[in-house]
Amino acid sequence: MPFYLEIIISVSLLTGGVFLLVGSYGLVRLPDIYMRLHSPTKASTLGITGVLIASMFFQSHLKGFLSIQELLITLFLFITAPVAANMIAKTALHHSNKPAEKTQNQALMDTIRDRESPPSNSIK
Amino acid sequence: MMLLPMPFHSLLLFIVWLLLNNSVSPGHIVLASFFAITIPWLVTGMRDDHPKILRPWLAIRYVLMVMKDIITANVEVALLIIGPAKKLKPGFVAIPLDVTTDLGITILASTVSLTPGTVSAEVSKDKAWLFVHALHLENEAELIESVKQRYERPIKEIFGC
């Protein structure tokens, strides 16, 4: 395997790994479920993309033809991650999970759960 | 048109099948063509009406812009996570919607979840409001404005609604 290819693969693996690590760290660290949702939907998408890019280069070199199968995984991830986050947020709202105390606009939570329009005095 | 009731979906099925098998051998091309023709033909009776993409080039530009934003959003969120947790100011925001179609709202909600420091949580019953949770909410009006300008306007133009 040529040296430049090794560099590309290691760099994308490392970048992906760092983002995945930060994403998982966010799950442990952030105080409430609504904030925790942010780390898997964002930090992990780029992390997995990095790992998949590394796999694309490696497999293309190994098999001798361009392997773009991995793009499919990224595509499916981009379609499913927001939907999963949305369902988790909905469920948390229905269970009346307490947000962190400093959360702004907490009064909106009941409106959101009932899917009503927000009361007009809360809109700027 | 009878042969291919959903030409775009047929093309997508064809490409995805070849990608899944990671091969362009004649056998797989025949099989992919078979699926690309039969599956749309079988399901065309049970699909909902979706608005047509009126401006495909703008759609491609939108996808590229969102990809760029995903990368910046990733870095931003990663920095927020590592940074001091006390400084974070989370909050719920209601964004008034101008797009009316289900597909438009779905795309907007997914984009909002993937891009800036926000996750979409719910859509109001009358489909006039999108509720999002922001990880770090500094200026509510600014966030609403940026979502509307940056993402909602191109979606409206793409689908012409």
Side-chain angles (χ1 to χ4, degrees), chain B residues 4-18:
Chain B
L4 292 172
M6 299 146 85
F8 176 72
H9 294 80
S10 297
L11 184 68
L12 196 67
L13 272 171
F14 186 82
I15 294 172
V16 168
W17 180 260
L18 292 182

Side-chain angles (χ1 to χ4, degrees), chain A residues 4-108:
Chain A
Y4 74 92
L5 212 57
E6 284 182 15
I7 296 275
I8 295 176
I9 293 173
S10 336
V11 167
S12 24
L13 265 183
L14 272 177
T15 335
V18 166
F19 275 106
L20 281 172
L21 184 68
V22 171
S24 323
Y25 177 56
L27 275 181
V28 182
R29 179 158 190 262
L30 295 172
D32 70 356
I33 184 162
Y34 307 101
M35 293 170 78
R36 258 177 253 142
L37 264 181
H38 289 269
S39 65
T41 44
K42 295 193 198 69
S44 318
T45 43
L46 196 62
I48 293 189
T49 310
V51 174
L52 290 174
I53 287 173
S55 156
M56 249 166 75
F57 278 105
F58 184 70
Q59 292 292 334
S60 299
H61 176 77
L62 209 65
K63 292 178 182 160
F65 60 85
L66 190 64
S67 163
I68 45 174
Q69 210 178 12
E70 287 83 357
L71 286 181
L72 270 187
I73 305 179
T74 321
L75 179 72
F76 291 146
L77 194 74
F78 282 166
I79 296 173
T80 51
V83 178
N86 186 271
M87 294 317 286
I88 295 173
K90 272 185 184 207
T91 316
L93 282 165
H94 276 275
H95 279 268
S96 306
N97 269 8
K98 286 263 176 301
E101 261 176 32
K102 58 188 172 182
T103 304
Q104 301 162 57
N105 293 339
Q106 287 194 34
L108 259 180

Side-chain angles (χ1 to χ4, degrees), chain B residues 45-118:
Chain B
M46 46 182 162
R47 69 183 172 141
D48 297 326
D49 273 337
H50 281 313
K52 289 211 164 54
I53 295 177
L54 296 180
R55 299 180 57 185
W57 288 113
L58 192 66
I60 293 172
R61 238 181 60 198
Y62 181 76
V63 170
L64 291 179
M65 186 191 82
V66 168
M67 279 176 156
K68 203 191 90 212
D69 283 2
I70 287 175
I71 296 176
T72 46
N74 269 285
V75 177
E76 267 173 35
V77 171
L79 289 177
L80 283 177
I81 290 172
I82 301 173
K86 277 188 184 137
K87 272 194 186 164
L88 290 179
K89 289 187 286 185
F92 289 95
V93 184
I95 298 176
L97 286 174
D98 284 330
V99 281
T100 44
T101 53
D102 287 348
L103 185 63
I105 296 175
T106 311
I107 294 178
L108 181 65
S110 301
T111 321
V112 162
S113 285
L114 281 173
T115 46
T118 47

